[in-house]
Amino acid sequence: MSPSAIQTQDVDLTAAAVNRKEEAPAAPALAQLDASRLTYTYTTSPRAVPDEAVANAGTETVCTDHMIVADWNVASGWTAPRLVPYGPLSLMPTASCLHYATECFEGLKVYRGYDGKLRTFRVDKNSARMRMSAARISLPVFEPEQLSKLIIALLEVDGSRWLPRDKPGNYLYIRPTMIGTAPQLGVASPREAMLYIIITYLPRLDSPVGGMRLHTSPEDMIRAWVGGFGYAKVGANYGPSLMATADARRRGFHQILWLYGPDGECTEAGASNFFVVWKRKSDGKTELITAPLDDKLILDGVNRRSVLDLARERLAGEIEITERKYTIAELIEADAEGRLLESFASGTAYFICPISQVHHRGRDINIPMGPDGQPGKITSTIKGWMGDIMYGRTEHEWAILINEKQ
Amino acid sequence: MSPSAIQTQDVDLTAAAVNRKEEAPAAPALAQLDASRLTYTYTTSPRAVPDEAVANAGTETVCTDHMIVADWNVASGWTAPRLVPYGPLSLMPTASCLHYATECFEGLKVYRGYDGKLRTFRVDKNSARMRMSAARISLPVFEPEQLSKLIIALLEVDGSRWLPRDKPGNYLYIRPTMIGTAPQLGVASPREAMLYIIITYLPRLDSPVGGMRLHTSPEDMIRAWVGGFGYAKVGANYGPSLMATADARRRGFHQILWLYGPDGECTEAGASNFFVVWKRKSDGKTELITAPLDDKLILDGVNRRSVLDLARERLAGEIEITERKYTIAELIEADAEGRLLESFASGTAYFICPISQVHHRGRDINIPMGPDGQPGKITSTIKGWMGDIMYGRTEHEWAILINEKQ
């Protein structure tokens, strides 16, 4: 066996296998996920559309009238996708996803613009990430464009009624999900799976009073690790983190700042990406910094990428934009030296959410906010640009117009 | 804040929180899981009991006629458990377990003894571990004895017909499962959950022809890590491992030998514990060695514990019994020096399964087996003792007699 073959098979087996699975041409006999085969069965009892505040007041997540479902099995591939009334799923008690966390998902939003139009945002990025996540968790893959088309088809049906034109500035949350459904207790890749897409309400989380307050992760708890799956949007990244988050909340914090390794590298804030703006120690320049993707610890967030893209395009020369590992000790040092300027979390649920404090081992790191409890200048500027694209105040290729059916 | 308070809250938050949750007295207003409240609704269409070979030939897991279900919610606690006909579960598409892997399970067996009696094995250990796993994944806890009683109640109903007295030496597999059912997409501890217990067929996995062959884990994939949840039986430990296992199987191996850390510590074999018998380097004594529990990387297996208990009780003086970290390099060295004697995996599914080969980075480590493809002497001896207890050839406190209803 040549050294390079050993390298591929034994050392990077997982990464290689993900790539192989993502890139492999499907067996010709297997039906592919095909949005053009979508069938429509409309609800005969459409529900009243609740006010956003009412919908978000309860503990149950409120969904729209319809969902899209497609089934897969290893012998025949994908069924034709179906748009059907929203309702419960029937799963056998032996279903793979209930035992082995064979599940992955995505999150994106649909926005009612100030020009009355309906838009979603960079759906291609979510679809591509969902394929990667599916491959990582041993679920079937698909052509990302087909998932994007299905998401858009659901928005075309439910978007008009659930995001009325007379309420611009509102949004709904889209949750594509894939689960292993095979009634099979053996620890093996599921032979059956289900893809479904739902649209839900989601509380506005981007403006907590006084800014978001983070508590660093305890030493005996790591969210993700090199060689793990922190970069994939799989269920296994979430359930195990709930206990630390609940503990932080009991002590008055919003989320965990997940540290990694003996040096305490700053990775993610809750389930969002974490950004800091500071005066750089080496040369005093203003720098926007976030953790890098290369060791696969953190999620390749769509908003993270958008923040970096916009900052590089529009703030170059004004600030430095850096993706590198940085530690909680650097944060503490910057605080002590008065170099901390701003911080924010970016994600679909939290959008761009200003962070005002990080608590670490009994010490508070206070981070400046803007006047009147508003985000600082750079945070506000980037958040404004993103919102302008999402709500149609500026034209941009990232915004995908939805062709409403009514 | 005193240093000890910081220690508890910030450094060992997770371990402390698991302990707190496991040990906290339940709020008096909340109903506890209570096996004495079990209600019985029998199936009106009992299925034909298949032959073991037929039942295990398909890809679907065959279950018995009944299951036990109990629901929990954060406001009122546990409902009375119900024994009902086996059938599908209805879950909302927003159910927590489908997105965030809020799920845990157990696995144990029920045995038809050669004396005609029905027994299960150390069910108290499984019930206690299930409570710990539930706490770790932010699901509700319960008194372990109540779960044991429910498991036994289900065996009392389905055991007689599904493990007929005229077929001694057969077994079925019991799968207690808990899932977060709350229809709630926020990343938070589920406000609703379901506990269910099913009984299934499971293929015999303890005697692969030529012994079990392991492939070491690739460098870019780690099953569990210090600060993670490798010690808990939660779904998040399984789905992410399927890809590496599938890749190893494509290359002719049965399972992955999971290595950990820069030195390649040997941790688990597939989802089983991993044992080696060798001549110890330091003094040439025969040693039975397995990885320790203290860094919480591996599962505290019931069979692992039973192997160690029996070996310490009955083989002391004859062999050394050691729980310590040991590496793949030590295995290679022992192979080169002709000191490797035996190896086996222990677990509920694989029972005591002899291992004949470990493949690591292009190199085969061959491990002796007994004559005629049988396990080696120590493996055979321990396996025999365990089987004798399970199938009633010897009386032992670990075997729990089931009081059959018919």
Side-chain angles (χ1 to χ4, degrees):
Chain A
M1 195 182 279
S2 75
S4 68
I6 292 173
Q7 174 72 17
T8 302
Q9 294 194 346
D10 290 6
V11 180
D12 297 323
L13 180 151
T14 304
V18 170
N19 290 342
R20 266 204 309 282
K21 191 166 174 191
E22 274 209 85
E23 288 161 16
L30 295 184
Q32 298 305 296
L33 184 66
D34 182 354
S36 74
R37 296 171 66 207
L38 180 64
T39 61
Y40 292 80
T41 306
Y42 297 104
T43 181
T44 53
S45 51
R47 280 170 286 130
V49 174
D51 183 72
E52 181 186 303
V54 173
N56 288 326
T59 53
E60 282 199 20
T61 297
V62 177
C63 294
T64 62
D65 282 324
H66 299 95
M67 60 184 182
I68 284 178
V69 179
D71 297 304
W72 173 90
N73 80 58
V74 70
S76 54
W78 288 98
T79 64
R82 316 179 293 283
L83 183 143
V84 294
Y86 179 80
L89 309 176
S90 177
L91 292 172
M92 293 311 284
T94 48
S96 171
C97 64
L98 303 180
H99 302 267
Y100 307 128
T102 45
E103 57 195 46
C104 63
F105 66 89
E106 273 300 323
L108 65 164
K109 285 178 178 166
V110 54
Y111 307 89
R112 176 59 72 185
Y114 288 98
D115 58 356
K117 292 180 181 165
L118 203 60
R119 289 175 181 83
T120 187
F121 185 76
R122 305 191 84 174
V123 59
D124 56 320
K125 299 292 180 206
N126 294 94
S127 295
R129 190 171 62 187
M130 179 111 168
R131 180 173 72 169
M132 179 276 293
S133 298
R136 179 64 187 82
I137 204 69
S138 300
L139 287 170
V141 295
F142 50 84
E143 184 56 49
E145 193 184 355
Q146 300 303 317
L147 176 57
S148 296
K149 285 179 176 174
L150 291 172
I151 292 169
I152 289 167
L154 183 58
L155 295 177
E156 286 173 351
V157 170
D158 275 356
S160 299
R161 207 166 79 80
W162 289 81
L163 277 179
R165 283 191 181 77
D166 60 359
K167 290 186 178 168
N170 281 354
Y171 65 82
L172 289 168
Y173 178 77
I174 308 156
R175 171 60 62 97
T177 308
M178 204 194 304
I179 57 178
T181 53
Q184 174 195 21
L185 282 193
V187 181
S189 304
R191 302 170 62 87
E192 299 172 19
M194 178 192 288
L195 167 72
Y196 62 87
I197 308 167
I198 56 178
I199 307 177
T200 82
Y201 284 79
L202 182 78
R204 290 173 193 257
L205 300 167
D206 62 337
S207 304
V209 174
M212 185 191 272
R213 299 171 62 235
L214 303 178
H215 192 295
T216 55
S217 50
E219 277 186 11
D220 72 343
M221 187 154 189
I222 298 170
R223 189 197 82 96
W225 66 105
V226 173
F229 41 88
Y231 62 102
K233 214 160 171 72
V234 297
N237 279 324
Y238 294 84
S241 77
L242 296 178
M243 166 160 283
T245 306
D247 212 280
R249 284 190 183 155
R250 270 192 290 277
R251 289 192 274 141
F253 297 88
H254 295 93
Q255 291 287 344
I256 294 280
L257 174 59
W258 293 101
L259 304 181
Y260 183 75
D263 297 333
E265 297 162 24
C266 301
T267 62
E268 292 199 2
S272 305
N273 294 117
F274 177 64
F275 284 84
V276 172
V277 184
W278 60 18
K279 290 284 177 193
R280 189 153 72 184
K281 184 163 177 75
S282 59
D283 57 12
K285 285 187 178 171
T286 300
E287 180 179 58
L288 174 68
I289 187 167
T290 197
L293 301 177
D294 47 18
D295 54 8
K296 295 195 163 184
L297 277 177
I298 66 167
L299 195 74
D300 179 6
V302 177
N303 278 6
R304 173 188 182 282
R305 194 183 284 218
S306 303
V307 165
L308 292 171
D309 288 350
L310 287 178
R312 288 196 175 109
E313 186 189 309
R314 304 183 185 180
L315 294 174
E318 201 172 328
I319 65 172
E320 305 295 310
I321 295 119
T322 304
E323 295 171 74
R324 73 157 168 90
K325 290 180 186 181
Y326 61 106
T327 66
I328 189 71
E330 290 183 71
L331 218 59
I332 290 169
E333 188 185 26
D335 179 34
E337 296 174 357
R339 291 186 285 105
L340 278 184
L341 300 177
E342 303 178 30
S343 176
F344 61 89
S346 85
T348 295
Y350 283 84
F351 187 24
I352 303 292
C353 181
I355 293 165
S356 59
Q357 189 181 75
V358 175
H359 179 92
H360 179 68
R361 311 280 185 268
R363 172 202 291 260
D364 288 333
I365 304 168
N366 291 305
I367 303 166
M369 299 266 291
D372 303 325
Q374 293 301 301
K377 186 176 151 223
I378 288 169
T379 307
S380 288
T381 300
I382 293 172
K383 185 173 184 175
W385 287 336
M386 301 262 289
D388 286 349
I389 295 169
M390 292 159 172
Y391 290 105
R393 287 200 196 88
T394 55
E395 291 263 324
H396 198 284
E397 60 180 1
W398 293 346
I400 313 297
L401 265 178
I402 306 300
N403 180 20
E404 299 172 67
K405 290 229 164 169
Q406 44 175 285
Chain B
M1 196 181 279
S2 75
S4 68
I6 290 173
Q7 175 72 14
T8 302
Q9 294 194 348
D10 290 5
V11 179
D12 298 323
L13 179 150
T14 305
V18 170
N19 291 343
R20 264 204 309 283
K21 192 167 173 192
E22 274 209 86
E23 289 160 16
L30 294 185
Q32 297 307 296
L33 184 66
D34 182 354
S36 74
R37 296 171 66 208
L38 180 65
T39 61
Y40 292 81
T41 306
Y42 297 103
T43 180
T44 53
S45 50
R47 279 168 288 131
V49 175
D51 183 72
E52 181 186 303
V54 173
N56 287 325
T59 53
E60 282 200 17
T61 297
V62 177
C63 294
T64 62
D65 281 325
H66 299 95
M67 60 184 184
I68 284 179
V69 180
D71 296 304
W72 174 90
N73 80 58
V74 71
S76 53
W78 288 98
T79 62
R82 317 180 291 283
L83 183 141
V84 293
Y86 179 81
L89 310 175
S90 177
L91 292 172
M92 293 310 285
T94 48
S96 172
C97 64
L98 303 179
H99 302 268
Y100 307 129
T102 45
E103 59 196 44
C104 62
F105 66 90
E106 271 302 320
L108 65 164
K109 283 178 178 165
V110 54
Y111 307 87
R112 176 60 73 187
Y114 288 97
D115 58 355
K117 292 180 179 165
L118 203 62
R119 292 175 178 82
T120 187
F121 185 76
R122 305 191 85 174
V123 58
D124 57 320
K125 299 291 180 204
N126 294 95
S127 295
R129 189 171 63 186
M130 179 110 169
R131 181 174 71 169
M132 178 277 292
S133 298
R136 180 63 186 83
I137 204 70
S138 301
L139 285 170
V141 294
F142 50 84
E143 184 55 50
E145 194 184 353
Q146 299 303 317
L147 175 57
S148 296
K149 286 181 175 173
L150 291 173
I151 291 168
I152 289 167
L154 182 59
L155 296 178
E156 286 173 350
V157 170
D158 275 355
S160 299
R161 208 166 78 79
W162 289 81
L163 277 179
R165 282 191 179 77
D166 61 359
K167 290 186 179 167
N170 280 353
Y171 64 82
L172 289 168
Y173 179 78
I174 308 156
R175 173 58 63 96
T177 309
M178 205 195 302
I179 57 177
T181 52
Q184 173 195 24
L185 281 194
V187 181
S189 303
R191 302 169 61 87
E192 299 171 20
M194 178 192 289
L195 167 72
Y196 62 88
I197 308 167
I198 56 178
I199 307 176
T200 82
Y201 285 80
L202 182 78
R204 289 172 194 258
L205 300 167
D206 63 336
S207 305
V209 174
M212 186 191 271
R213 300 172 62 234
L214 304 178
H215 193 294
T216 55
S217 50
E219 277 189 10
D220 72 343
M221 187 152 188
I222 298 170
R223 190 197 82 94
W225 65 106
V226 174
F229 41 88
Y231 63 101
K233 214 159 174 71
V234 297
N237 279 322
Y238 295 83
S241 77
L242 297 178
M243 165 160 284
T245 306
D247 213 279
R249 285 192 182 152
R250 268 192 291 275
R251 290 192 275 141
F253 296 89
H254 296 94
Q255 291 287 345
I256 294 280
L257 174 60
W258 294 102
L259 304 181
Y260 183 75
D263 297 333
E265 297 161 23
C266 300
T267 62
E268 292 198 3
S272 306
N273 293 116
F274 177 64
F275 285 83
V276 173
V277 184
W278 59 16
K279 291 283 176 193
R280 191 154 69 182
K281 186 167 177 71
S282 60
D283 57 12
K285 287 188 177 169
T286 300
E287 181 179 57
L288 174 68
I289 187 168
T290 196
L293 301 177
D294 48 17
D295 54 8
K296 294 196 166 186
L297 277 177
I298 67 168
L299 194 74
D300 179 6
V302 178
N303 279 6
R304 173 189 181 281
R305 194 182 284 217
S306 303
V307 165
L308 292 171
D309 288 350
L310 287 178
R312 287 194 176 112
E313 186 188 308
R314 304 183 185 180
L315 295 174
E318 201 173 326
I319 65 172
E320 305 294 312
I321 294 119
T322 304
E323 295 171 75
R324 73 157 169 89
K325 292 182 187 180
Y326 61 107
T327 66
I328 188 70
E330 290 183 70
L331 218 58
I332 291 169
E333 188 185 26
D335 180 33
E337 296 174 357
R339 292 188 284 104
L340 278 184
L341 300 177
E342 302 178 31
S343 175
F344 61 89
S346 84
T348 296
Y350 284 83
F351 187 23
I352 305 291
C353 182
I355 294 165
S356 59
Q357 189 181 75
V358 175
H359 178 92
H360 179 69
R361 311 278 186 270
R363 172 202 291 260
D364 288 333
I365 304 168
N366 292 306
I367 304 166
M369 299 266 289
D372 304 324
Q374 294 301 302
K377 188 179 149 218
I378 289 170
T379 307
S380 289
T381 300
I382 293 173
K383 186 174 183 174
W385 288 334
M386 301 262 289
D388 287 349
I389 296 171
M390 292 159 173
Y391 291 104
R393 288 200 197 86
T394 56
E395 292 263 324
H396 199 284
E397 59 180 2
W398 294 345
I400 313 298
L401 266 179
I402 306 301
N403 181 19
E404 299 173 66
K405 292 232 162 167
Q406 42 178 285

